[in-house]
């Protein structure tokens, strides 16, 4: 069988997302299954080269995943015409410069979100990629979570009647770093290093809400730095300069009101670390990362406020599980496979750098809303002519 080799320059793969989601569960998994079948009968095989700053870490990673090629020299890697895709999972602050370089070198781009730390930089990247005619994509993994796919299935079936409201509780406790190991990198809590929960999470909420429910038309947000001092990876104490919680509301084009609480300073008492509840006139659904439950109009109980007796209603018992009805693959891998097919056989891929810029736009406006203590409309973005 004819093979098509695709060389992928993978930068930032020593990090949390880079190693687990993009290298191990996507590219290595695709390689280990022997590649992807293409529509014309050929087989696409991936050939990654790992790029980073620390040779020892890269060497270890390459050994662990049986990868021949690694380098600390990004420019040299970009000079190799045999590697046609540049992937970036570096810290957010580093992304725009490296992606611009890769576009200038004629590489197709696939990268993590947020694509940049400001809307202007994010739009500039989208514009550069269009002008250079390179294919480009941004990670929008939450769209491929089983829970979100089930929620979308329910919407498409007409289950909800008229949609009314959407509420999300998302987050968990991120340890301060003094007496327990950090469970998120310390740069996340320093705005000068590209950190901040809004820049990190609002890009996800933008594509998720826009694509699953309805486009976001206005945002109201209040951010807080609840924990003012934290300890970094080397045990050094530092001042938190970026928010660790955001209390947001969105108005959607279809009239739905969304309330989204995003927090790294909360202890979940729910089934999953994130839960999204959508209420409609004919039914409600509550989705997590994997599961989704529904309650229909006809199964809705009639509670009465009476704290003088034990609660007679088991609210959870009145909900039914939405069945899987399909196999769910890793959300990152699904998008990688689609992007690889987009590059090699021009298969459709709609989550490009321009769509990625919309996420940065929402983050920018949410931070402005918090600063100015007011609702802000989200203007429609239109791509610059190439
Ligand atoms: N899609 C998602 O669900 C998701 C989840 C978490 C993070 N992210 C995004 O992925 C990116 C990486 O996040 P992470 O949590 O893996 O971070 P991380 O700190 O674990 O990894 C960062 C990577 O960037 C490299 N790097 C290059 N220059 C650096 C510098 N000057 N300072 C620090 N690191 C530098 C590091 O060596 C490492 O490989 C971020 O942009 C983040 O927003 C996406």
């Amino acid at each position: 069988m004819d093979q098509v080799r695709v060389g992928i320059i993978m930068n930032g793969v020593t990090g949390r997302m880079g190693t687990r989601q993009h290298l191990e569960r996507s590219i290595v998994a695709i390689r280990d299954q022997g590649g992807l079948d293409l529509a014309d009968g050929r087989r696409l095989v991936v050939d990654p080269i790992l790029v980073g700053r620390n040779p020892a870490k890269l060497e270890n990673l390459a050994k662990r995943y049986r990868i021949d090629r690694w380098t600390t020299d990004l420019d040299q890697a970009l000079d190799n015409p045999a590697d046609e895709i540049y992937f970036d999972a570096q810290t957010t602050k580093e992304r725009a410069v490296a992606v611009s370089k890769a576009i200038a070198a004629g590489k197709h781009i696939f990268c993590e979100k947020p694509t940049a730390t400001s809307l202007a930089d994010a739009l500039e990247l989208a514009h550069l990629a269009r002008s250079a005619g390179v294919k480009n994509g941004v990670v929008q993994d939450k769209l491929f979570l089983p829970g979100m796919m089930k929620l979308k299935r329910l919407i498409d079936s007409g289950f909800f009647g008229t949609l009314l409201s959407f509420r999300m509780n998302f987050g968990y406790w991120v340890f301060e770093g003094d007496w327990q190991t950090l469970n998120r990198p310390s740069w996340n809590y320093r705005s000068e290093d590209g950190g901040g929960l809004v820049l990190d999470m609002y890009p996800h909420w933008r594509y998720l809400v826009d694509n699953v429910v309805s486009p976001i038309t206005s945002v109201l947000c209040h951010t807080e730095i609840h924990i003012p001092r934290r300890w970094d990876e080397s045990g050094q104490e530092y001042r938190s300069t970026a928010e660790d919680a955001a209390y947001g509301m969105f108005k959607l084009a279809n009239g739905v009101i969304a309330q989204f609480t995003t927090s790294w300073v909360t202890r979940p008492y729910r089934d999953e670390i994130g839960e999204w509840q959508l209420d409609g006139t004919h039914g409600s659904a509550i989705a997590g990362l994997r599961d989704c439950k529904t309650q229909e109009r006809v199964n809705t109980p009639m509670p009465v406020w009476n704290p003088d007796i034990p609660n007679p209603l088991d609210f959870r018992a009145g909900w039914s599980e939405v069945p899987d009805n399909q196999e769910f693959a890793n959300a990152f891998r699904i998008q990688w496979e689609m992007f690889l097919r987009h590059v090699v056989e021009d298969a459709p891929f709609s989550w490009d750098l321009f769509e990625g810029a919309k996420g940065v736009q929402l983050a920018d406006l949410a931070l402005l809303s918090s600063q100015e203590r007011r609702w802000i409309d989200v203007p429609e973005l239109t791509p610059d002519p190439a």
Side-chain angles (χ1 to χ4, degrees), residues 11-19 21-22 51-54 57 88-95 112-114 139-142 184-188 193-194 199-201 204 207 233 332:
N11 196 5
V13 274
T14 58
R16 226 166 44 105
M17 299 311 292
T19 301
Q21 301 297 350
H22 295 288
V51 182
R53 299 168 303 161
N54 182 327
K57 280 192 188 170
D88 193 297
Q90 296 188 95
T91 55
T92 304
K93 200 177 161 193
E94 309 301 318
R95 185 158 303 120
E112 262 295 354
K113 50 45 66 184
V139 173
Q140 309 215 324
D141 54 291
K142 309 295 178 255
R184 289 188 68 86
S186 62
W187 63 265
N188 284 186
D193 289 335
L199 184 60
D200 188 34
M201 297 310 294
H204 287 302
Y207 66 74
E233 288 75 4
F332 292 85

Side-chain angles (χ1 to χ4, degrees), residues 103-159:
I103 294 172
K107 307 296 175 193
H108 303 301
I109 305 294
F110 189 53
C111 69
E112 262 295 354
K113 50 45 66 184
T115 54
T117 53
S118 71
L119 175 60
D121 286 354
L123 284 173
E124 172 71 10
L125 289 183
H127 180 65
L128 287 174
R130 268 170 68 97
S131 309
V134 297
K135 290 181 171 163
N136 54 99
V138 178
V139 173
Q140 309 215 324
D141 54 291
K142 309 295 178 255
L143 288 174
F144 305 97
L145 288 173
M148 294 305 117
M149 289 170 79
K150 289 174 187 172
L151 201 59
K152 179 85 172 71
R153 202 195 284 161
L154 290 170
I155 293 173
D156 293 346
S157 77
F159 166 80

Side-chain angles (χ1 to χ4, degrees), residues 301-330:
M302 193 179 289
V304 177
W305 175 278
N306 188 355
D308 301 331
I309 57 164
N311 180 13
L313 291 172
D314 179 354
F315 288 114
R316 284 176 186 262
W319 291 72
S320 326
E321 198 69 52
V322 176
D324 286 354
N325 287 357
Q326 68 180 96
E327 292 264 320
F328 294 104
N330 175 281

